[in-house]
Amino acid sequence: QVQLVESGGGLVQAGGSLRLSCAASGRIFSINTMGWHRQAPGNQRELVAAITNAGTTNYADSVKGRFTISRDNAKNTIYLQMNSLKAEDTAVYYCKTNAVVGYGTPSSDYWGQGTQVTVSS
């Protein structure tokens, strides 16, 4: 019903930057919060950053001051600008959205397939 397509992952040296994108498509009535989560091997998936449709943002303490989340509501797309990357940022990054697919229906969470970010030290 809602598809999320992520792009922008890759390999970068410590101190470098990457920009992730996530575009939502499909049967969308409205989108609420969109965000990025990440999961490193052996770790639980954790919230990195989220943004509401009003533009309110929330960041994990570990990325505050280095990562910036933004949103283009007209394109149902979010971005994650990641600067000053560290080895510990290495993980699979997943896009998540909370969306409504029809009038009067409850919202549901949808996940992207994930994109690998590897930071070499």
Side-chain angles (χ1 to χ4, degrees), residues 54-82:
T56 301
T57 58
N58 180 39
Y59 294 94
D61 288 341
S62 60
V63 306
K64 285 180 180 177
R66 300 188 297 121
F67 291 10
T68 302
I69 189 170
S70 58
R71 178 168 176 165
D72 185 335
N73 287 331
K75 297 181 179 180
N76 290 333
T77 298
I78 60 169
Y79 308 92
L80 186 67
Q81 179 65 44
M82 304 185 293

Side-chain angles (χ1 to χ4, degrees), residues 24-25 29 36 54 86 89 97 109 115:
S25 62
F29 181 76
W36 293 94
K86 305 175 181 179
D89 293 318
T97 186
D109 290 336
T115 185

Side-chain angles (χ1 to χ4, degrees), residues 35-50 58-64 66-67 80 86-96 111:
W36 293 94
H37 291 65
R38 68 186 181 188
Q39 187 168 19
N43 291 354
Q44 291 187 336
R45 193 172 296 188
E46 62 177 0
L47 172 69
V48 176
N58 180 39
Y59 294 94
D61 288 341
S62 60
V63 306
K64 285 180 180 177
R66 300 188 297 121
F67 291 10
L80 186 67
K86 305 175 181 179
E88 50 264 43
D89 293 318
T90 295
V92 178
Y93 283 69
Y94 296 91
C95 179
K96 176 186 174 183
W111 291 88

